[in-house]
Amino acid sequence: VCSSDLDVEPLTAEELQARIDTQWQVIRTQRNQILKDSDWTQVADAPVDKVKWAAYRQALRDMTTQADPFNVVWPTQGSISGG
């Protein structure tokens, strides 16, 4: 393989932004599914620690404030300390 066959053009600013936007959408989709799957934890008679679950769910909502959508830190239920 010739080295000239491996030349890669850098992304334009528009292409880079499109990839970032797509990655954020992937993260939001995954996050929204986790939130949907854990909605039951917030009903009045759910046998769970509602404070911890609420903190975990808020951490999920706050994920999109992270700087790099390709290196997000996903919260885990055990990593959230409630009230």
Side-chain angles (χ1 to χ4, degrees), residues 1 5 8 12-13 15 17 22-23 27 33 39 41 47 50 52 54 62 64-65 67-70 74-75 78 83:
V1 174
D5 292 339
V8 178
T12 66
E15 291 169 329
Q17 189 60 52
T22 298
Q23 185 63 19
I27 290 166
Q33 186 62 51
D39 279 348
T41 65
K50 285 184 186 42
K52 286 185 179 181
D62 292 343
T64 55
T65 63
D68 183 355
F70 297 99
W74 287 84

Side-chain angles (χ1 to χ4, degrees), residues 2-54:
C2 180
S3 66
S4 65
D5 292 339
L6 301 177
D7 290 343
V8 178
E9 292 292 322
L11 295 175
T12 66
E14 293 81 17
E15 291 169 329
L16 179 59
Q17 189 60 52
R19 289 190 182 192
I20 290 169
D21 293 345
T22 298
Q23 185 63 19
W24 277 124
Q25 187 56 48
V26 168
I27 290 166
R28 283 186 184 97
T29 299
Q30 293 172 339
R31 182 227 25 218
N32 291 347
Q33 186 62 51
I34 295 169
L35 286 168
K36 180 180 174 187
D37 291 346
S38 64
D39 279 348
W40 67 271
T41 65
Q42 300 307 295
V43 298
D45 60 349
V48 297
D49 184 332
K50 285 184 186 42
V51 172
K52 286 185 179 181
W53 273 98

